Amino acid sequence: MAMTDARLSTAPLLLVSMVPVLVNPVAAMERLDDTALSKIQGQSGITLEMELNLSAGRLSYYDDGKGVHLEGMRVGSSRGDNAGAFHRVKVDIGADASLNLDYLVEDRRVEFSDIRLAGAPGVGMGGIFFDHSLQGSLRIRQGGAVGGSGYTFDTAYTMTGGRLGYRTNGNSVFLDDITMDVQALGVTLDVVGDTLQLVSPEVIGNWSVGAIRYSNEPGNYGQSYSSATGLPLPSYGGLQGHYELSSVTDIRAGGRSGEGLRLDNETIIHSASFIYLDDGNGLALRDITGDYRIHDLRLDVSEDGRGRPAVALTLGGLQGNLNIGSIEVGSSGQSFGSLNLSFLLEDQIFNGRTYRNELYLQGGGHPDAGPQGLRMATEWSLRLADLSYTEDGNRVIFSGLQSWGSGDVTVNVTRNEVRNGTRFYDGLRIGFEGLEAGYRINGLRVGSDDAPLQGGTELLLALGFYPAYEFELDGHITLGAGGASGEGLTINSDIQIRDGKAAVIAAPYDEGNGEIAQKGLWLTEMTYDGHVRDMTLDVTEEGLAIGTGESWSTMDIGNVRVGTKDDGASMGRLRIQKYQTDSTALVKPGGAGDICVGGAGSSEGACVAAGGQWETRGSEGVTIDMVQVLARAEGDDKKNALMWESNRAVDSQGRPINNTGMKLLVNDIYTSDGGDFDGDGVEDNRFGIRTDLSVDVYQTRVTKKEDGPDAQGVVGSRGDEKIMSPGSAAGYRYVANPGPGDVANRPLGFAVKADTRFKELSINNIDLIHPVGGSQTVVYGAKFQNVDIRANLTATPIP
């Protein structure tokens, strides 16, 4: 059956190729018998009942002669191919000439076995299935928002027994046990010029997902229990939330070139919540508000930049704000604090190249995973974003965040096996191929959006966060179902980075007079090869628990530069190797609490008497308890080692040549507990390096370092305390003897409290390596025992 009626020249063509269809009543028109007539009631309208089982070999969408095909379409029951879904619809006409529909749908499945693109034979995007039961009502009346030619809709429904799944090569991931209550009143549909406008003044909904399940059994299609064992399929956890929003959506004909669709949207999130549940423990984002505006989103069936057939989503711009009032975790409901994100996605030039926001959906995924999968040729341009974190009323802003990149991202649902020489794991595999990307942050602001820029992002290096980073990326992250116990996540990954440029410390890229080259301490010409096995992530009563079975990596830094990333002076080459087993981290709400800075004392009086400063940092904040178990070497790739090379020879272009200089190698670094305490004949290694890291936003004492004017021209004497003063020209002043009012206006800082300790840290050998003479051991073994290092650091604006 082909639907090719008259249409606008810019509208796409939709074709449906039908295989024999089983419908009750049947699709062909014929006289109703007494049995069929008995199912129609007309006392106050008409009631229709039917068992629907419909199938279509292919549903095709054409755009400028290019097609995307939905293969194996079926609407029926989830119980089997020959079972139909029960439908009952009561149709009534109201006194105001409105059409009123009350409906009941039981156990309906809508599915496509594969999604294919014309011009890409042999590969598909994978299958989708959606199971659900619905009960609700729909009222349609004439007259829209701009006149009588439109329509107004009121709808409310409840969905139960829902499943939404994605399936590739016989493996599937699906949302199980979905329930949803939705109410949308006063929705209008109008044609305004060449635009179809949909206005939703109030949409309210509650939803939940009982479990997110994984199956590697080809015979198990959208069922909650294993067909082999009868047990529930492993679960990533559950979800639940609510939302109240309003929106305006404009739909126009015409893609980025020729036929297609254009979408513009404005949405206001009046309230929302999102909760991730792991064995009953929740990670909750509460009191969510915000808004966003989508400008010029186009849908085309087209080709990507490499000429590959694709469904193209190209974006003109996306701007918005998102506020999360509280981030809570565990059974106590204690909060980390709140987050605010403002963002603008639009075209921008980075490193001399214009980046856009484009996504090209293709079939195939990773070529070794099988013919089904999803490949996304993507490009993005985050022109500007500010991310602020507030705890106990104090705010710090990661200002001027920018990001850009392009490359291929693949998605497959895989199983634990080796196929065509590639190692796969159970779960949802997200792959990266030739991804060239980067990001940078202009600096920190504390207190307000117009506060002076300052450093401080280097305090987050312990979490693996660089203030600026550019790289080329290949590899994968596979998210498996189930954590350390019960629900949760299991992560396996292999990541390779080339041509990396990471800032350890970086000055702003824009101080207010336009973009400048960022100066700082850079790790450049960097390669990284990292592997993670059996990392688990669980939400517990205390917080977010992360455990790593085994991880190893090699970071080879061609040049450690001071200055700019391209031509800063080099300190030489650095290679860092890491190998850990059974390491853990617990991320929990609450920061340092009450502490004594600059002294020792468990109370304010004792702290002050010892020459310290008592600080009450509040109940919010972030604390991370880390245990890093450094394992003994198991080969050249799996070990903890540090190598520094300097005085290298250079090539004809002045570039240093690796392995031509002098090297210092600190080899085979590992932790231990100092003895064999469990009697197994092997020295125990469970304690590792333990670090308790607490992060707060807090006021702190800042004193002047010398007499006279500072860099901003503010005059003071050595030892005077810096006090924030909005009425002052520079926003602050210096006070020799601050009173209580002055103390209340001390500058806000990004405060980090750290306590690191270990029982024993060993170094197997320290070698000097000459490029001609070879290796010479300088130290045969070294041990450090019973070390405890404590620090309090606060980054504040200092001119």
Side-chain angles (χ1 to χ4, degrees):
M1 178 176 68
M3 294 181 285
T4 58
D5 53 351
R7 60 192 186 278
L8 295 173
S9 60
T10 56
L13 175 64
L14 183 68
L15 293 180
V16 183
S17 302
M18 306 290 288
V19 298
V21 177
L22 175 62
V23 182
N24 188 16
V26 294
M29 295 186 64
E30 56 185 51
R31 186 185 302 276
L32 295 176
D33 57 21
D34 291 340
T35 301
L37 285 171
S38 68
K39 296 181 179 180
I40 300 177
Q41 306 170 13
Q43 292 89 343
S44 58
I46 299 176
T47 298
L48 302 175
E49 294 183 357
M50 63 180 177
E51 296 282 341
L52 177 63
N53 188 26
L54 179 149
S55 61
R58 170 178 289 181
L59 176 65
S60 299
Y61 170 87
Y62 286 93
D63 175 346
D64 293 318
K66 302 179 180 68
V68 55
H69 310 301
L70 308 181
E71 306 275 1
M73 173 188 172
R74 177 177 173 269
V75 181
S77 171
S78 65
R79 297 190 303 273
D81 292 339
N82 296 321
F86 175 76
H87 290 66
R88 181 174 65 215
V89 181
K90 180 179 180 181
V91 184
D92 198 3
I93 305 297
D96 58 353
S98 62
L99 176 64
N100 299 296
L101 305 175
D102 290 323
Y103 54 86
L104 172 67
V105 178
E106 294 181 344
D107 186 32
R108 180 170 64 187
R109 169 169 288 183
V110 180
E111 64 178 310
F112 302 98
S113 62
D114 204 356
I115 303 173
R116 296 179 180 268
L117 288 162
V123 295
M125 296 184 188
I128 297 173
F129 62 90
F130 179 34
D131 300 340
H132 56 280
S133 295
L134 287 173
Q135 183 171 11
S137 62
L138 173 64
R139 182 188 181 200
I140 306 173
R141 58 187 186 275
Q142 191 171 4
V146 297
S149 60
Y151 295 92
T152 298
F153 304 86
D154 297 316
T155 183
Y157 65 85
T158 296
M159 184 179 77
T160 58
R163 295 189 188 95
L164 177 62
Y166 176 59
R167 179 179 169 98
T168 69
N169 308 306
N171 311 307
S172 59
V173 169
F174 62 96
L175 309 182
D176 191 20
D177 189 22
I178 305 172
T179 62
M180 186 179 300
D181 291 297
V182 177
Q183 176 181 282
L185 304 178
V187 178
T188 58
L189 182 66
D190 295 273
V191 177
V192 183
D194 63 349
T195 301
L196 185 65
Q197 187 173 82
L198 181 68
V199 179
S200 303
E202 181 185 59
V203 181
I204 301 173
N206 294 281
W207 57 274
S208 69
V209 177
I212 306 171
R213 300 195 183 277
Y214 165 80
S215 173
N216 59 8
E217 303 173 21
N220 188 328
Y221 191 12
Q223 302 300 318
S224 305
Y225 294 86
S226 167
S227 58
T229 66
L231 299 174
L233 292 171
S235 169
Y236 293 88
L239 304 170
Q240 67 182 41
H242 88 280
Y243 57 88
E244 181 179 349
L245 54 85
S246 56
S247 68
V248 178
T249 304
D250 292 339
I251 304 172
R252 299 182 179 91
R256 192 64 64 189
S257 61
E259 297 179 333
L261 295 174
R262 170 176 174 170
L263 178 71
D264 296 271
N265 174 271
E266 293 186 13
T267 295
I268 299 174
I269 304 172
H270 301 288
S271 69
S273 66
F274 179 87
I275 304 173
Y276 168 70
L277 295 169
D278 178 352
D279 294 315
N281 298 307
L283 173 62
L285 309 182
R286 302 189 187 276
D287 303 326
I288 302 173
T289 60
D291 62 86
Y292 61 85
R293 291 164 295 285
I294 299 173
H295 170 65
D296 195 14
L297 174 62
R298 304 290 182 113
L299 172 66
D300 298 87
V301 182
S302 181
E303 296 177 344
D304 70 356
R306 296 166 58 181
R308 297 174 296 186
V311 176
L313 296 169
T314 56
L315 179 67
L318 172 61
Q319 184 174 12
N321 293 275
L322 181 66
N323 306 292
I324 302 174
S326 179
I327 305 173
E328 302 172 4
V329 68
S331 59
S332 65
Q334 189 176 354
S335 175
F336 287 106
S338 62
L339 286 179
N340 169 265
L341 173 65
S342 62
F343 56 90
L344 172 62
L345 288 152
E346 66 177 16
D347 296 355
Q348 175 75 348
I349 297 175
F350 297 102
N351 296 330
R353 172 185 167 182
T354 299
Y355 286 84
R356 298 178 173 84
N357 291 287
E358 303 174 335
L359 183 66
Y360 293 87
L361 304 177
Q362 306 161 25
H366 190 281
D368 293 337
Q372 290 185 320
L374 184 64
R375 178 175 292 269
M376 297 177 285
T378 182
E379 182 173 296
W380 72 90
S381 170
L382 176 61
R383 182 167 185 171
L384 186 64
D386 285 343
L387 175 66
S388 68
Y389 169 62
T390 303
E391 55 98 353
D392 290 311
N394 301 319
R395 184 178 179 217
V396 62
I397 304 162
F398 296 84
S399 182
L401 171 63
Q402 295 182 322
S403 179
W404 60 93
S406 64
D408 282 10
V409 178
T410 60
V411 179
N412 296 86
V413 187
T414 57
R415 69 186 67 178
N416 190 13
E417 61 180 346
V418 177
R419 296 186 58 164
N420 299 324
T422 301
R423 186 72 171 85
F424 295 101
Y425 300 89
D426 284 344
L428 183 67
R429 185 187 191 275
I430 303 172
F432 311 100
E433 297 182 9
L435 195 67
E436 300 180 12
Y439 70 84
R440 62 186 180 185
I441 290 177
N442 207 27
L444 291 181
R445 301 182 191 271
V446 291
S448 63
D449 294 324
D450 57 357
L453 281 170
Q454 65 174 88
T457 53
E458 59 272 11
L459 298 179
L460 298 180
L461 290 173
L463 306 181
F465 178 84
Y466 297 102
Y469 199 7
E470 298 175 22
F471 51 87
E472 298 177 13
L473 173 66
D474 291 289
H476 78 95
I477 298 175
T478 301
L479 306 176
S485 62
E487 297 179 324
L489 296 177
T490 295
I491 301 171
N492 290 281
S493 73
D494 300 283
I495 296 294
Q496 295 82 41
I497 290 176
R498 306 178 307 278
D499 196 21
K501 299 176 182 179
V504 178
I505 302 173
Y509 63 79
D510 188 344
E511 296 178 337
N513 298 313
E515 185 175 323
I516 58 175
Q518 269 186 298
K519 294 182 179 180
L521 178 62
W522 293 88
L523 313 179
T524 66
E525 292 86 55
M526 181 177 71
T527 62
Y528 175 84
D529 183 41
H531 309 270
V532 173
R533 296 291 178 266
D534 297 325
M535 173 186 284
T536 58
L537 190 151
D538 295 87
V539 179
T540 68
E541 292 185 353
E542 294 182 88
L544 191 64
I546 303 169
T548 303
E550 185 181 33
S551 67
W552 68 99
S553 65
T554 297
M555 179 185 291
D556 199 323
I557 303 161
N559 286 286
V560 180
R561 296 187 182 276
V562 178
T564 65
K565 62 177 182 280
D566 296 317
D567 56 10
S570 175
M571 298 170 62
R573 175 191 176 200
L574 195 64
R575 186 178 68 195
I576 303 171
Q577 293 179 268
K578 296 181 180 180
Y579 178 44
Q580 297 183 23
T581 58
D582 300 319
S583 294
T584 63
L586 176 64
V587 184
K588 56 187 181 183
D594 298 343
I595 64 170
C596 183
V597 179
S602 58
S603 66
E604 182 174 5
C607 177
V608 173
Q613 177 181 314
W614 186 254
E615 293 185 355
T616 303
R617 295 184 178 175
S619 60
E620 295 183 331
V622 181
T623 293
I624 305 174
D625 296 339
M626 294 182 287
V627 178
Q628 297 171 291
V629 179
L630 309 186
R632 297 204 67 161
E634 291 192 7
D636 290 337
D637 293 332
K638 293 184 177 182
K639 66 178 180 179
N640 296 285
L642 176 66
M643 186 276 292
W644 176 39
E645 182 182 7
S646 63
N647 298 316
R648 291 170 289 174
V650 297
D651 62 16
S652 59
Q653 296 180 341
R655 296 174 299 193
I657 302 172
N658 289 344
N659 300 317
T660 61
M662 283 291 297
K663 299 177 185 176
L664 173 66
L665 174 64
V666 182
N667 192 37
D668 193 9
I669 308 166
Y670 59 93
T671 56
S672 71
D673 296 349
D676 176 17
F677 301 108
D678 59 8
D680 64 353
V682 179
E683 190 173 57
D684 296 343
N685 191 5
R686 296 187 179 91
F687 193 86
I689 300 175
R690 303 200 173 195
T691 301
D692 300 331
L693 186 71
S694 297
V695 181
D696 294 272
V697 183
Y698 191 71
Q699 292 176 307
T700 192
R701 182 172 179 262
V702 177
T703 58
K704 202 169 187 302
K705 300 301 182 288
E706 58 185 22
D707 295 335
D710 63 17
Q712 303 295 324
V714 181
V715 178
S717 300
R718 176 182 173 86
D720 287 354
E721 190 168 332
K722 182 176 182 178
I723 300 300
M724 307 308 293
S725 176
S728 302
Y732 63 91
R733 56 191 174 89
Y734 291 110
V735 179
N737 297 300
D742 296 322
V743 171
N745 289 303
R746 282 173 170 165
L748 283 173
F750 197 53
V752 176
K753 176 193 173 188
D755 182 1
T756 298
R757 57 202 181 275
F758 55 83
K759 292 184 177 181
E760 184 171 283
L761 179 68
S762 300
I763 301 172
N764 189 71
N765 58 285
I766 301 176
D767 294 348
L768 287 175
I769 305 172
H770 192 275
V772 177
S775 177
Q776 180 68 46
T777 298
V778 178
V779 177
Y780 286 95
K783 291 184 182 294
F784 303 88
Q785 295 180 328
N786 300 321
V787 173
D788 191 340
I789 302 173
R790 302 181 185 185
N792 267 294
L793 302 174
T794 305
T796 57
I798 302 177

